[in-house]
């Protein structure tokens, strides 16, 4: 059963907004953050209005009820992503926080001088900088899986890149720049052969397709709730239970302890050991309702809807002269993200003119400066789609690009 984006749009108050310049909002920046349905907004507000209390430590009703709502979200997240168990779900502030947690706990414990950490050349800075910092501290080496011209991973020399000295492979499932979706099977198989661990940055993939964590057989998987209809400030780190059990805490403080003496402390069991301090309770509760919404629509339906939009966008954008699209042409290997440049026109100029038409896209290097350097460009214009976007949104994008070309004195069509 396909989804109806026109019906879905009614659940998102912001999508009916008229901007100050009188233009209706056309939101195509879902790769940065998704919009929120009313059910998520209401749930977040309802917590503050009716259930506001700290969790895990109160014996009174409000605290116990808030704790129940919070922990129910953990169980729901585990089921939604078919994880090993609820204890394997660690709530964080986002994907960046989750990756840094692994680097600072598992990484500092298990990475030694001379060890190798394998990344790819198109990683988001969140999955690059933490490993640079760790490698510098531990005197370890960084190695990189290259990409082909179509931005898929080049695995031709995988056995030379992932070796017996490799301790960790940290890699993205879907590029936030090109939308390329990577089959990680060969990489995971090689990781198992050498006895290493694998962390997957799922920030882009988790919101657009069904994810079965047990079937993927990854050691860590990180993603953000705000990209999948949830509030900001909520992320998830999945880790195999036996690995998380062996990891020391990263942050010390409340909730992560079992017993504290003046000279030493013992730590709480999972997941509390890795969740120090008061969390984003309202955000996690709101995320629970985001999962409900996505479950009702169906992740498979969302994936198919985005494929239809991407195919339509390719068809329309490819008719525009002087426009280059980056990434693979194979729609089976793409998500709902399209990055492009326009000959002789800076991406920031494109974004500014599109904004005058009410069309919101992302421009710049997208926190992927090494990839931009390899592509020999300063940045791209990125349009990214989600379940509430329509063909009319893409038509508005194309119309606005025509205006860009008109302003810069170029012919609008081939």
């Amino acid at each position: 059963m396909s989804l109806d984006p026109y019906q879905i749009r009614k659940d998102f108050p912001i999508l009916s907004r008229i901007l100050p310049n009188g233009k209706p909002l056309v939101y195509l920046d879902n790769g940065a953050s998704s919009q929120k349905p009313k059910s998520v907004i209401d749930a977040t507000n309802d917590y503050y209005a009716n259930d506001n209390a700290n969790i895990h430590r109160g014996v009174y009703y409000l605290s116990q009820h808030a704790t129940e709502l919070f922990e129910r979200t953990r169980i729901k997240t585990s089921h939604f992503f078919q994880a090993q168990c609820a204890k394997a779900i660690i709530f964080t502030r986002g994907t960046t926080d989750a990756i840094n947690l692994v680097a600072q706990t598992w990484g500092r414990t298990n990475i030694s001088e001379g060890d190798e950490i394998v990344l790819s050349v198109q990683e988001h800075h969140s999955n690059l900088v933490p490993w640079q910092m760790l490698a510098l501290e531990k005197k370890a080496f960084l190695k990189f899986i290259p990409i082909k011209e179509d931005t898929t991973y080049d695995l031709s020399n995988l056995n030379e890149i992932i070796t017996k000295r490799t301790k960790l492979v940290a890699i993205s499932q879907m590029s936030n720049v090109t939308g390329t979706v990577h089959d990680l099977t060969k990489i995971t198989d090689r990781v198992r052969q050498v006895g290493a661990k694998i962390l997957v940055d799922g920030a882009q993939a988790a919101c657009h397709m069904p994810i079965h964590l047990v079937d993927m057989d990854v050691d860590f998987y990180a993603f953000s709730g705000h990209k999948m209809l949830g509030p900001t400030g909520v992320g998830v780190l999945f880790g195999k239970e036996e690995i998380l059990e062996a990891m020391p805490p990263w942050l010390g403080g409340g909730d992560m302890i079992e017993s504290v003496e003046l000279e030493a402390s013992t730590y709480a069991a999972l997941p509390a050991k890795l969740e120090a301090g008061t969390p984003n309770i309202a955000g996690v509760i709101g995320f629970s309702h985001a999962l409900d919404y996505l479950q009702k629509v169906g992740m498979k339906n969302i994936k198919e809807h985005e494929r239809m939009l991407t195919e339509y966008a390719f068809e329309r954008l490819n008719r525009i002269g002087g426009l280059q699209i980056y990434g693979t042409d194979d729609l089976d290997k793409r998500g709902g993200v399209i990055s492009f440049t326009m000959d002789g026109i800076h991406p920031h100029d494109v974004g500014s003119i599109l904004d005058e038409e009410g069309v919101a896209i992302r421009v710049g290097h997208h926190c992927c400066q090494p990839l931009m350097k390899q592509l020999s460009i300063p940045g791209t214009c990125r349009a990214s789609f989600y379940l509430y976007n329509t063909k009319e949104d893409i038509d508005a994008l194309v119309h606005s690009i025509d205006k860009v070309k008109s302003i810069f004195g170029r012919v609008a069509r081939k």
Side-chain angles (χ1 to χ4, degrees):
M1 182 181 67
S2 61
L3 60 83
D4 181 354
Y6 303 99
Q7 190 65 34
I8 286 173
R9 291 176 68 85
K10 297 177 182 178
D11 296 330
F12 291 78
I14 200 170
L15 296 181
S16 61
R17 184 178 178 193
I18 303 299
L19 299 173
N21 62 4
K23 300 285 186 178
L25 172 65
V26 178
Y27 189 77
L28 297 175
D29 191 24
N30 297 284
S33 192
S34 67
Q35 297 299 341
K36 323 303 175 192
K38 190 173 185 298
S39 59
V40 170
I41 297 169
D42 289 346
T44 305
N45 291 338
D46 186 66
Y47 163 77
Y48 286 120
N50 296 302
D51 295 309
N52 184 40
N54 215 327
I55 58 173
H56 295 150
R57 60 193 72 166
V59 297
Y60 56 94
Y61 171 78
L62 284 184
S63 177
Q64 291 181 344
H65 185 52
T67 299
E68 180 184 355
L69 294 174
F70 185 91
E71 291 301 331
R72 194 184 298 166
T73 307
R74 193 188 310 276
I75 295 170
K76 187 179 295 182
T77 304
S78 175
H79 291 163
F80 188 91
F81 290 96
Q82 299 192 26
Q84 187 179 15
C85 62
K87 287 194 295 183
I89 299 297
I90 308 299
F91 286 121
T92 66
R93 293 178 298 165
T95 307
T96 301
D97 194 43
I99 294 172
N100 275 273
L101 189 159
V102 176
Q104 293 298 318
T105 55
W106 184 91
R108 296 182 77 184
T109 303
N110 292 279
I111 301 295
S112 302
E113 183 175 350
D115 288 341
E116 297 172 350
I117 301 169
V118 175
L119 313 167
S120 86
V121 300
Q122 63 176 355
E123 294 308 310
H124 189 283
H125 296 165
S126 295
N127 197 34
L128 176 60
V129 176
W131 307 116
Q132 291 175 341
M133 296 167 68
L134 182 66
L136 182 65
E137 175 186 339
K138 295 292 186 175
K139 298 181 180 178
F141 296 98
L142 299 179
K143 297 172 73 176
F144 297 91
I145 296 173
I147 58 172
K148 300 177 183 178
E149 188 175 349
D150 68 355
T151 70
T152 58
Y153 291 144
D154 182 354
L155 305 181
S156 58
N157 294 316
L158 190 63
N159 289 357
E160 286 72 44
I161 297 172
I162 301 176
T163 70
K164 291 291 185 179
R165 301 186 71 174
T166 301
K167 285 294 182 71
L168 177 74
V169 175
I171 203 152
S172 58
Q173 186 177 6
M174 174 177 163
S175 169
N176 71 301
V177 176
T178 65
T180 303
V181 177
H182 304 286
D183 183 354
L184 303 180
T185 305
K186 289 183 179 180
I187 296 174
T188 303
D189 289 345
R190 180 58 181 166
V191 165
R192 298 297 169 231
Q193 288 175 7
V194 302
K197 298 289 187 286
I198 182 169
L199 177 148
V200 174
D201 176 353
Q204 295 296 325
C207 41
H208 298 300
M209 62 191 70
I211 301 294
H212 302 161
L213 289 173
V214 170
D215 291 345
M216 288 180 67
D217 189 31
V218 297
D219 300 296
F220 303 103
Y221 192 92
F223 61 94
S224 298
H226 72 92
K227 296 182 189 294
M228 49 192 309
L229 310 185
T232 56
V234 176
V236 172
L237 172 67
F238 160 81
K240 287 186 175 179
E241 184 180 1
E242 61 273 18
I243 299 175
L244 295 177
E245 291 281 9
M247 286 164 48
W250 177 22
L251 301 175
D255 240 23
M256 50 74 67
I257 52 87
E258 180 181 75
S259 176
V260 176
E261 304 293 339
L262 287 178
E263 300 295 335
S265 300
T266 56
Y267 306 126
L270 289 175
K273 179 179 72 170
L274 299 174
E275 293 181 353
T278 299
N280 184 354
I281 304 170
V284 169
I285 292 171
F287 180 57
S288 173
H289 289 260
L291 291 177
D292 289 340
Y293 196 98
L294 293 172
Q295 186 74 43
K296 182 179 178 180
V297 175
M299 295 306 296
K300 183 178 179 181
N301 290 332
I302 293 172
K303 181 180 179 181
E304 292 174 352
H305 177 68
E306 291 181 9
R307 179 191 170 98
M308 179 275 294
L309 290 176
T310 304
E311 184 174 16
Y312 181 71
F314 258 84
E315 176 188 337
R316 296 224 55 196
L317 291 172
N318 279 328
R319 291 162 50 195
I320 301 175
L323 185 147
Q324 180 176 350
I325 297 175
Y326 296 87
T328 177
D329 293 333
D330 186 349
L331 293 181
D332 291 331
K333 297 179 180 179
R334 287 194 75 109
V337 175
I338 294 180
S339 270
F340 62 91
T341 54
M342 301 181 68
D343 291 350
I345 307 175
H346 196 281
H348 288 176
D349 292 327
V350 177
S352 295
I353 295 172
L354 263 59
D355 178 56
E356 294 175 359
E357 297 299 305
V359 179
I361 65 168
R362 181 72 46 158
V363 297
H365 55 66
H366 314 296
C367 293
C368 287
Q369 288 180 316
L371 177 60
M372 296 297 122
K373 184 176 181 180
Q374 178 160 330
L375 296 174
S376 300
I377 54 177
T380 71
C381 308
R382 185 187 70 187
S384 46
F385 318 130
Y386 210 14
L387 70 167
Y388 39 65
N389 287 122
T390 65
K391 287 184 176 180
E392 286 80 4
D393 291 337
I394 295 168
D395 292 340
L397 171 66
V398 172
H399 173 77
S400 299
I401 291 173
D402 283 345
K403 181 178 178 181
V404 173
K405 299 192 73 170
S406 177
I407 289 173
F408 278 84
R410 291 166 172 81
V411 178
R413 291 287 171 189
K414 281 184 178 180

